Each structure stands twice: as structure tokens, then as C-alpha cells.
Amino acid sequence: MEPILEVKGLRKSFKDFTLQDISFSLPRGFIMGLIGPNGSGKSTTIKLIMNLMRKEAGEIRVCGLDTHRHELAVKQKIGFVYDENHFYDELTVLEMKKIVAPFYREWDEEAFTYYVHRFQLPVRKKIKELSKGNKMKFALTVALSHHAELIIMDEPTAGLDPVMRSELLEVLGELIQDERKGVLFSTHITTDLDKVADYIAMINEGRVLFSVAKDTLQETCGLVKGGKSQLTPEVKDRLIGLREGSFGFEGLTTNRKQMQDLLGEQGIIERPTLEEIMVYLVRGYRDADVGS
Ligand code: ADP
Ligand code: MG
């Protein structure tokens, strides 16, 4: 089966920022996390996928359909949760539902009712009176009520308390029990991804640094720690985001095996968290910029 989402060579420039060579692909049945520091281009990438912004180059396919040529069909297949409220503030939850439902050919009233209860959404309250968490839950409820195959969310967990965050992640986990579905969500809270993501794509300064299975990432990357005597020129050359102190050194390797061979028996290489991988890579990127 074709991937649920395929992005190739995406490009978009603003006055002070260029998003370029954005390519990644998400197979059905999996969750992909899009990570990267603030301003790295996550929301822009998502807006381009959603056709909310015009791309300058590249190709995007959802369920095998070109999102430009088949815009309407693709919109039916995507459940979208935006990072800001895009509903009418003055309407109640039920009133708003009546407006959005007709846009979807496969609107499922039963699914809507199910999620409203599950999330305990106060349906008679105006959108503007909902808490941030409830606004997100309402957006998610709509996204899950029209048999979308691909769920796309921009920073859905930002500003949510831990209970709501884990509730959201639980729903996503359940969703992809259906192997035809897929989820793409951006976040800078990497612990969300430790829990549910199967694939990670990382963007930094408008480019994809990597897009791989989370397990592969954590197997190939390693956090290297050692004393000064172990920091030979070969080791130094290969470490990313290296920091030296009186204690010794710390850095990231993206080739654990090679590094272990270089360091020998005494070398300590730990399994990095996603957060550490992100921090070291961004740091390494900046160090390289400063050096050049
Ligand atoms: P992220 O979601 O990763 O925080 P964004 O995609 O929102 O990053 O933004 C990436 C960069 O593009 C930022 O420097 C931002 O200021 C810039 N940018 C985003 N949208 C616009 C726009 N409509 N006009 C000009 N610059 C923009
Ligand atoms: Mg953003």
C-alpha cells in the first residue's frame, strides 16, 4: 500500500526564512512526530501539507493523491487540529458542529457523540468559554468524526496539563490500531514522542535533519561521555555538539558502533533520550555555523 503521507522536496521562503528540501514519508498504521526548535519550520510544513499556504516547489501526496490536484478529496481524508482556535468564538460547541459537519461526506454523528462523552466536552458552552484543553479536544473530536485516514496536528499538547496530554496520546495510540490510518503531529515536547511516536522527523532551520524510525534513531545515536584522555582528535572530529569541561567531555554520536571501536573498552556510550538527540544536534548545527 502507498504511504499515507509523502512529502518530497518541499520549499517555501519568507523574507528571513527558507524552508527547503523537506522530504519524508509516513507509512500507514504509524505515528510520526515532527520535532524541532521554535521557528524551525514545523507549522509552515504543516500549513503547506494542508494547502493553507502556497508551496514554491515540491510534491505532497496523501493516500497517494496529489494534494494540489485533488484538494477536495484530500481534505476529506485529513482530520486537522490546528495550533490556534479556528472555530467561531461566539458559537457553542453544538452550533459549531452543525456548521462543520456538512463539509464532510462521511460525517459520523455517532463518533462525534462518542468523543464528546469521552472527553466530557461541555457542548452547550461557547467556544470562547472553553479551556485551552477543551478547545483542543473539540478540534480533535471534529477531526475524528469524519472517518479521516490521516490525522495532522500542530502542537496539540502545548499548554495542556499532563493528564490531558496523556489522554490525547492514548487516543492517538488507539486510532492507529486501525492499520490504514496515520498520525502526524508536531511538538517540542519530546517526551510525548517517547511514549507514542513510531517515526521521528526533525526539522532545524528549515531543513529536515533526519526522518527515521524512533527505534533506529535510538540504536544508532549514542551519548558519549569520557575523560579528557579519551578525547583523541578522531573522537573529537566525530562528536556532535561536543562540550568539554573540567569533568571531561560529552557529545553525541550518530554511529554508535564506530564510536565504540574508537573508544575501546573504557568508552561509555549511553542511550540518548529524544530530547538529548535534539539538543545535541541543534547545538552541533550552531557550532558548525559559528565555525564556518
Ligand atoms: P515552528 O512552527 O517550527 O515554530 P514556523 O514554521 O512557524 O516554525 O516558522 C518558521 C519561520 O518562518 C519563523 O522564522 C517564522 O517567523 C517564519 N514565518 C512563518 N510564517 C510566516 C509568514 N506568514 N510570513 C513571514 N514569515 C513567516
Ligand atoms: Mg509552530
Side-chain angles (χ1 to χ4, degrees):
M1 236 194 298
E2 79 278 331
I4 193 149
L5 174 66
E6 235 182 324
V7 175
K8 267 191 216 154
L10 214 53
R11 183 186 167 89
K12 174 81 190 177
S13 23
F14 301 121
K15 195 160 145 280
D16 300 312
F17 179 83
T18 303
L19 188 80
Q20 55 194 321
D21 301 326
I22 300 292
S23 300
F24 58 86
S25 145
L26 173 63
R28 288 173 191 261
F30 296 103
I31 298 180
M32 175 179 265
L34 189 60
I35 58 169
N38 284 332
S40 55
K42 300 181 297 295
S43 295
T44 304
T45 301
I46 286 179
K47 283 177 192 156
L48 290 169
I49 295 173
M50 291 307 301
N51 248 338
L52 294 172
M53 223 181 233
R54 189 186 287 270
K55 59 184 189 283
E56 288 158 13
E59 210 183 313
I60 304 164
R61 288 177 179 276
V62 171
C63 304
L65 298 173
D66 184 284
T67 56
H68 188 65
R69 256 176 294 157
H70 301 276
E71 179 163 10
L72 292 178
V74 165
K75 282 261 154 77
Q76 299 286 329
K77 291 183 184 295
I78 300 180
F80 183 41
V81 179
Y82 193 43
D83 62 347
E84 292 150 37
N85 179 25
H86 63 299
F87 297 119
Y88 301 126
D89 264 354
E90 291 298 330
L91 298 185
T92 67
V93 168
L94 283 181
E95 286 165 347
M96 191 67 222
K97 186 262 296 185
K98 280 198 187 119
I99 290 181
V100 296
F103 283 105
Y104 296 106
R105 246 177 276 143
E106 294 193 54
W107 181 262
D108 183 342
E109 195 62 30
E110 248 174 66
F112 181 81
T113 308
Y114 169 79
Y115 284 110
V116 157
H117 281 109
R118 175 160 180 179
F119 295 146
Q120 296 182 308
L121 273 176
V123 290
R124 284 170 218 291
K125 270 199 181 171
K126 288 184 177 182
I127 307 270
K128 68 173 180 195
E129 293 161 356
L130 299 182
S131 65
K132 186 170 167 71
N134 276 340
K135 277 183 189 156
M136 191 282 297
K137 283 175 170 177
F138 176 50
L140 184 64
T141 297
V142 171
L144 296 175
S145 296
H146 61 90
H147 294 234
E149 291 175 53
L150 175 62
I151 302 293
I152 296 184
M153 296 179 291
D154 195 4
E155 304 264 2
T157 56
L160 297 191
D161 66 52
V163 177
M164 276 202 188
R165 281 223 311 269
S166 79
E167 231 181 310
L168 169 69
L169 299 177
E170 197 179 293
V171 171
L172 298 184
E174 286 168 22
L175 201 73
I176 48 137
Q177 296 304 309
D178 179 345
E179 289 171 2
R180 288 163 305 167
K181 298 200 168 164
V183 176
L184 172 73
F185 77 99
S186 72
T187 181
H188 58 266
I189 307 171
T190 53
T191 48
D192 289 346
L193 304 173
D194 287 320
K195 288 190 195 118
V196 299
D198 305 293
Y199 290 87
I200 312 282
M202 178 171 166
I203 299 191
N204 190 45
E205 297 182 10
R207 289 171 184 272
V208 173
L209 289 195
F210 60 78
S211 161
V212 290
K214 187 176 70 186
D215 293 345
T216 310
L217 190 67
Q218 289 182 317
E219 280 159 23
T220 52
C221 288
L223 201 56
V224 187
K225 295 180 180 178
K228 285 207 158 110
S229 62
Q230 289 171 295
L231 194 60
T232 61
E234 290 82 15
V235 170
K236 200 167 178 167
D237 257 9
R238 290 174 173 80
L239 285 176
I240 297 163
L242 174 69
R243 286 294 178 272
E244 294 176 70
S246 49
F247 59 89
F249 72 92
E250 282 182 15
L252 185 82
T253 174
T254 51
N255 188 338
R256 219 173 152 136
K257 195 182 166 305
Q258 181 198 54
M259 187 53 67
Q260 193 71 64
D261 290 344
L262 278 175
L263 290 172
E265 304 255 301
Q266 283 123 347
I268 301 172
I269 304 183
E270 293 170 5
R271 189 185 170 91
T273 60
L274 275 174
E275 172 131 0
E276 284 164 335
I277 293 174
M278 181 166 128
V279 166
Y280 277 87
L281 284 174
V282 170
R283 214 192 241 172
Y285 214 79
R286 288 199 191 127
D287 291 351
D289 265 356
V290 172
S292 61

